[in-house]
């Protein structure tokens, strides 16, 4: 639309120049043919230059525009033909909007030089013809301003395209981040549920093979079935919890402690200290998952041993500490590699986390994303896991 309007303006201006030249002025027998020839030739050259592509024919386009401007200004210095300088202005403006500044300056200089040469062979008053360079200078500045506007428009277009690519990349990263969060939550829930399920199945097998106690084995298998059902429910709840608020942290830990006592017969002592406040969902969920992993490991490596859960609200952060006596004489390793042999205690049984050594690693990575920390290891003959998160969500840019 803008291109069509520009062509229409140029064509209308050229017609108006012709009307003014040939209806309002009378020329002598020598001037009339020169004015007609200058009008037609400069118009044809200007049209030719406009049809040439700016990128592929830069030099040819500049030469043609210079010829059109030179012819029109050389004729425009004659008495009554000053209107013809408008054709030169069209050429100068168009050349000044080019990629390089020298295009506009070349056409402007050639037009001014032609006007000065035309004065030598014309009867025009030199003072009257001094306005031609001024008009051409106005056209040159107009072209430069138009060029600057076009460059800014192209830059804005490039910036918009870049911003759109950035938004698309941000959407892609957000999708990947959401997938990672879902995978992490499902992993944590399944690791907890399947770990507890494995303990129950192991107990049932021991009852059947070592004690032939079918009644108790059935009770244990019933518990295992309930754990499997609860695991599926927890998996659905974990996905749903990604976009909803989690229960109060102390209440969730109390529920987990009661469940652990019921399933594994271990005493769990929960203490809460400090001013309890609502944590951001990510922080609360990270502490809940840490407690789940630690309780499951305690049930596996130190069965029927008491567990202490200590939740402390500090001024800047919240600390969750879980401790239990070391089972079977050796501590579980701190995140051993999956393919590494776990150290064995006196009974010859190695210690690993529920999912083969990567449970604590996953917890540590989750907490690092929240500017938190996780430490795990033996302290005074007890296995201790300490998780810390800031009380406020991390600010994002």
């Amino acid at each position: 639309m803008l291109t069509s309007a520009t062509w229409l303006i140029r064509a209308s201006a050229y017609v108006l120049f012709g009307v003014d030249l040939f209806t309002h002025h009378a020329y002598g027998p020598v001037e009339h043919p020169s004015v007609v020839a200058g009008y037609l030739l400069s118009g044809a050259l200007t049209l030719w230059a406009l049809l040439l592509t700016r990128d592929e024919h830069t030099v040819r386009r500049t030469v043609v525009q210079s010829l059109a401007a030179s012819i029109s200004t050389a004729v425009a210095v004659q008495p009554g033909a000053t209107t013809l300088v408008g054709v030169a202005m069209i050429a100068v403006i168009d050349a000044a909007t080019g990629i390089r500044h020298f295009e506009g300056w070349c056409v402007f200089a050639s037009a001014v030089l032609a006007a000065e040469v035309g004065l030598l062979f014309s009867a025009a008053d030199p003072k009257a013809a001094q306005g031609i360079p001024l008009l051409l200078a106005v056209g040159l500045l107009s072209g430069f301003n138009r060029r600057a506007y076009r460059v800014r428009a192209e830059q804005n277009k490039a910036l918009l395209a870049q911003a759109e690519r950035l938004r698309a990349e941000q959407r892609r990263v957000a999708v990947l981040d959401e997938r990672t969060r879902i995978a992490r939550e499902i992993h944590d829930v399944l690791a907890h549920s399947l770990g507890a399920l494995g303990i129950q199945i192991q107990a049932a097998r021991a009852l059947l093979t070592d004690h032939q106690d079918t009644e108790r084995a059935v009770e244990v298998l019933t518990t295992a079935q309930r754990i499997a059902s609860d695991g599926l429910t927890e998996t659905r709840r974990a996905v749903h919890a990604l976009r909803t608020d989690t229960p109060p942290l102390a209440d969730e830990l109390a529920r987990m402690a009661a469940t652990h006592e019921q399933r594994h017969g271990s005493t769990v002592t929960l203490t809460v200290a400090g001013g309890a406040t609502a944590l951001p969902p990510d922080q609360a969920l990270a502490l809940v998952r840490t407690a789940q992993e630690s309780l499951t490991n305690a049930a596996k490596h130190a069965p029927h041993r008491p567990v202490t859960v200590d939740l402390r609200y500090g001024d800047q952060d919240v600390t969750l500490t879980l401790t239990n006596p070391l089972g079977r004489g050796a501590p579980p390793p701190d995140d051993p590699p999956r393919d590494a042999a776990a150290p064995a205690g006196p009974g010859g049984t190695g210690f690993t986390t529920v999912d083969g050594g990567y449970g604590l690693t996953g917890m540590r990575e989750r907490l690092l994303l929240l500017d938190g920390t996780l430490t795990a290891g033996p302290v005074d003959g007890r296995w201790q896991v300490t998780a810390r998160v800031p009380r406020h969500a991390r600010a994002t840019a």
Side-chain angles (χ1 to χ4, degrees):
M1 177 63 74
L2 183 60
T3 302
S4 300
T6 303
W7 276 92
L8 180 60
I9 293 174
R10 290 168 176 169
S12 301
Y14 184 73
V15 172
L16 292 177
F17 296 156
V19 171
D20 181 76
L21 285 173
F22 302 113
T23 60
H24 297 84
H25 304 281
Y27 305 101
V30 177
E31 291 82 1
H32 188 271
S34 63
V35 172
V36 173
Y39 175 76
L40 296 177
L41 186 56
S42 61
L45 291 173
T46 302
L47 178 62
W48 183 17
L50 294 175
L51 293 176
L52 293 174
T53 57
R54 192 180 299 277
D55 296 333
E56 297 179 359
H57 305 91
T58 301
V59 177
R60 183 185 302 178
R61 182 187 178 95
T62 303
V63 172
V64 174
Q65 288 173 332
S66 298
L67 290 175
S70 299
I71 293 174
S72 61
T73 54
V75 178
V77 295
Q78 299 184 28
T82 307
T83 306
L84 196 58
V85 75
V87 179
M89 290 186 65
I90 294 177
V92 171
I93 292 174
D94 187 69
T97 58
I99 301 176
R100 301 172 181 85
H101 282 91
F102 81 86
E103 300 176 36
W105 284 110
C106 287
V107 177
F108 171 76
S110 62
V112 173
L113 180 61
E116 298 301 325
V117 173
L119 286 174
L120 299 177
F121 302 95
S122 173
D125 184 3
K127 294 183 179 180
Q130 289 178 355
I132 293 179
L134 180 59
L135 292 175
L136 294 176
V138 172
L140 182 67
L141 293 177
S142 300
F144 285 157
N145 289 335
R146 182 183 173 191
R147 175 185 179 275
Y149 173 80
R150 182 172 58 83
V151 170
R152 285 196 300 269
E154 293 177 354
Q155 291 175 346
N156 292 336
K157 183 179 179 181
L159 289 176
L160 288 175
Q162 183 178 3
E164 183 60 30
R165 290 193 298 270
L166 180 60
R167 283 193 292 268
E169 184 66 18
Q170 289 175 339
R171 289 192 294 267
R172 188 183 70 85
V173 171
V175 170
L176 293 178
D177 182 65
E178 184 70 9
R179 290 177 179 176
T180 302
R181 292 181 61 199
I182 293 174
R184 185 186 297 119
E185 294 303 321
I186 294 177
H187 163 270
D188 295 340
V189 172
L190 292 181
H192 171 72
S193 300
L194 294 178
L197 185 61
I199 295 173
Q200 297 297 322
I201 294 175
Q202 184 178 2
R205 183 176 62 183
L207 290 172
L208 291 174
T209 58
D210 299 340
H211 305 283
Q212 287 79 40
D213 191 343
T214 306
E215 183 177 354
R216 291 186 60 193
V218 170
E219 293 179 358
V220 172
L221 290 176
T222 301
T223 302
Q225 182 180 6
R226 186 177 64 253
I227 291 175
S229 177
D230 292 344
L232 292 176
T233 302
E234 287 293 332
T235 302
R236 299 188 187 98
R237 184 182 300 172
V239 176
H240 178 69
L242 290 173
R243 294 183 173 86
T244 59
D245 294 332
T246 57
L249 181 58
D251 296 346
E252 186 67 15
L253 292 176
R255 183 190 67 81
M256 293 170 57
T259 302
H260 185 82
E261 290 181 343
Q262 179 183 3
R263 291 179 179 177
H264 304 289
S266 302
T267 301
V268 180
T269 303
L270 173 64
T271 59
V272 179
T277 57
L279 287 176
D282 287 345
Q283 274 85 336
L285 194 58
L287 294 180
V288 167
R289 296 298 180 234
T290 301
Q292 283 183 338
E293 180 74 20
S294 300
L295 288 174
T296 302
N297 288 336
K300 180 177 181 180
H301 301 299
H304 308 294
R305 307 294 295 275
V307 180
T308 300
V309 181
D310 180 57
L311 179 64
R312 295 185 178 274
Y313 289 89
D315 294 335
Q316 302 297 329
D317 51 30
V318 178
T319 304
L320 175 66
T321 304
L322 296 97
T323 58
N324 59 269
L326 292 173
R328 305 176 192 174
D334 186 14
D335 294 334
R338 185 178 295 274
D339 56 354
T349 302
F351 290 88
T352 59
T353 53
V354 171
D355 56 350
Y358 285 97
L360 293 179
T361 299
M363 293 300 100
R364 182 175 290 110
E365 292 174 351
R366 177 195 293 273
L367 291 168
L368 285 176
L369 293 175
L370 302 173
D371 291 336
T373 59
L374 176 73
T375 58
V379 178
D380 296 333
R382 298 173 63 85
W383 182 257
Q384 179 172 297
V385 177
T386 302
R388 183 199 63 81
V389 295
R391 296 190 63 161
H392 305 285
R394 181 176 59 182
T396 58

